Amino acid sequence: MLTKPLFHRHEALYCAQYRELKERSLTADAFLPGTPGTLHRRNGTGYAYCYRVFYPVPGIQAETLVGRADDRAAVAAMGQRMTDAAWAARQVAALRKAGFQVADKRMARLLVELHNLAAFSAGLLVVGELAIQAWLNELGVTPRSGRRAASTITCLQLGAQPAFLDLPIVPRLPFVPVDDGSAIGTGLAGLDTLRVWLGFAGQNVEPTVASRGWMARAATAYDYLLEAPESAAMLAGGHCIPVLLPSAGRLVWHTLFDCASAAATERAAPVRAQVLALAAALIEHDPWALLTAWEKAPATLTEPIRSLRLALVAEAAAHAELCDLLDDCLR
């Protein structure tokens, strides 16, 4: 019986469109949150003022003051930023239709906030499912089976080294405690149900994190996962947001470790399908990346994955090179 390929490669035209969008996003400073918006003029006491009216998240309208209506420089600068934002939103919409992974507008609002605070450039990493899907976009592929759209993800998983806690931006992070204690929420309007899971490398960070007033914890094998991160981008809402990701090889193995821990849950199957698609694409892009990442992985991570060897080899049957690597590494 023929097996389905693990991934579908995007057309070269769309990959070039993604690269142009990403390159332009890397040169941008602060992003405009939400929709590009429109400029409105209002008469005040003695002066007329210009405002940007926009939707930070669906269903909630907001406005920000641009300046006096006769301040041509300020009005023109905002107009150009809105034009650039509208261009980016059109590119993201086209890439979504082409099969690229795009997180929803609520997730975009939080990612934009973190970018504008310079949290990613300061060492905060996107991990978990969104990181997998960002890497799939980077490699120009989408899973053939078990695909799970980025727009369905309601928890943003982040990771950082303990030194991140000492940075001056930490008190300004938009996180608040939640009652269930398993994650933190966001302090941004319209994002009340959005959860954030924040993990740190090392073992002694929990008391320091608790003193910040929000939940986070030391996470298993995060010393390994967060070493040597790479710059990338995340498509979300109408934005292409520069982010920091774990290296693709380490992300594959760490995700399979998580799947081994969650083998009996419904969550594991679609995530595993996505990460195997990423692994297959990565072998074609860099044949040594997965093997090198495996050789550097600690036993606390590798041993649980070995229990998945037969299942993973069967699921990867359409990609002979990946099957061979999994069979060799997981013996």
Side-chain angles (χ1 to χ4, degrees), residues 59-76:
I60 296 180
Q61 188 179 82
E63 60 183 42
T64 56
L65 176 65
V66 177
R68 284 172 46 171
D70 59 0
D71 187 345
R72 296 183 179 180
V75 173

Side-chain angles (χ1 to χ4, degrees), residues 2-331:
L2 294 177
T3 55
K4 294 182 179 180
L6 295 179
F7 64 85
H8 166 75
R9 193 171 294 281
H10 294 301
E11 295 180 17
L13 177 64
Y14 292 116
C15 292
Q17 185 176 0
Y18 170 77
R19 288 193 298 271
E20 180 185 2
L21 175 61
K22 177 186 172 184
E23 288 172 6
R24 286 183 60 166
S25 73
L26 293 175
T27 62
D29 294 323
F31 287 106
L32 293 176
T35 59
T38 55
L39 288 175
H40 286 255
R41 176 189 171 115
R42 293 179 186 159
N43 293 323
T45 304
Y47 298 100
Y49 292 88
C50 195
Y51 294 82
R52 170 179 169 249
V53 180
F54 65 102
Y55 287 86
V57 293
I60 296 180
Q61 188 179 82
E63 60 183 42
T64 56
L65 176 65
V66 177
R68 284 172 46 171
D70 59 0
D71 187 345
R72 296 183 179 180
V75 173
M78 178 56 72
Q80 184 59 56
R81 292 181 68 191
M82 292 167 57
T83 298
D84 293 342
W87 177 86
R90 290 194 298 271
Q91 309 313 305
V92 174
L95 291 171
R96 181 192 291 109
K97 290 180 180 178
F100 280 71
Q101 302 289 319
V102 181
D104 66 21
K105 293 177 181 178
R106 294 165 61 255
M107 191 70 76
R109 177 70 182 91
L110 178 54
L111 291 170
V112 165
E113 180 79 8
L114 294 174
H115 168 78
N116 288 349
L117 288 172
F120 299 123
S121 59
L124 191 65
L125 278 69
V126 175
V127 300
E129 290 183 69
L130 279 183
I132 295 170
Q133 293 169 348
W135 269 117
L136 290 169
N137 289 342
E138 290 283 324
L139 295 178
V141 302
T142 192
R144 279 283 196 180
S145 61
R147 179 181 173 185
R148 185 176 178 185
S151 60
T152 67
I153 299 174
T154 58
C155 181
L156 174 60
Q157 292 179 260
L158 300 170
Q161 298 291 345
F164 179 81
L165 290 169
D166 297 326
L167 299 178
I169 66 166
V170 170
R172 295 186 287 138
L173 294 175
F175 302 149
V176 295
V178 293
D179 292 338
D180 58 24
S182 63
I184 51 182
T186 66
L188 300 172
L191 303 182
D192 296 339
T193 59
L194 192 61
R195 294 292 184 263
V196 180
W197 196 96
L198 181 53
F200 285 88
Q203 301 299 319
N204 300 311
V205 297
E206 283 152 349
T208 306
V209 172
S211 69
R212 302 289 181 184
W214 32 261
M215 291 292 298
R217 56 183 56 82
T220 305
Y222 263 39
D223 302 77
Y224 166 78
L225 178 65
L226 303 182
E227 186 178 340
E230 299 186 35
S231 297
M234 186 70 229
L235 301 181
H239 301 275
C240 178
I241 305 155
V243 296
L244 208 57
L245 301 178
S247 71
R250 291 176 185 242
L251 179 62
V252 166
W253 295 121
H254 196 277
T255 303
L256 291 176
F257 164 75
D258 281 343
C259 288
S261 303
T265 69
E266 294 181 1
R267 168 184 170 273
V271 175
R272 199 161 69 186
Q274 284 207 326
V275 81
L276 286 177
L278 173 58
L282 184 59
I283 284 181
E284 295 188 6
H285 176 77
D286 181 353
W288 298 103
L290 280 172
L291 181 58
T292 301
W294 176 262
E295 291 173 343
K296 294 180 179 179
T300 53
L301 183 143
T302 58
E303 288 306 312
I305 302 175
R306 295 183 194 277
S307 66
L308 300 177
R309 182 174 68 88
L310 294 179
L312 292 176
V313 170
E315 290 179 39
H319 199 285
E321 288 181 83
L322 179 57
C323 282
D324 290 343
L325 183 141
L326 290 170
D327 199 40
D328 289 343
C329 290
L330 303 185
R331 285 188 181 280

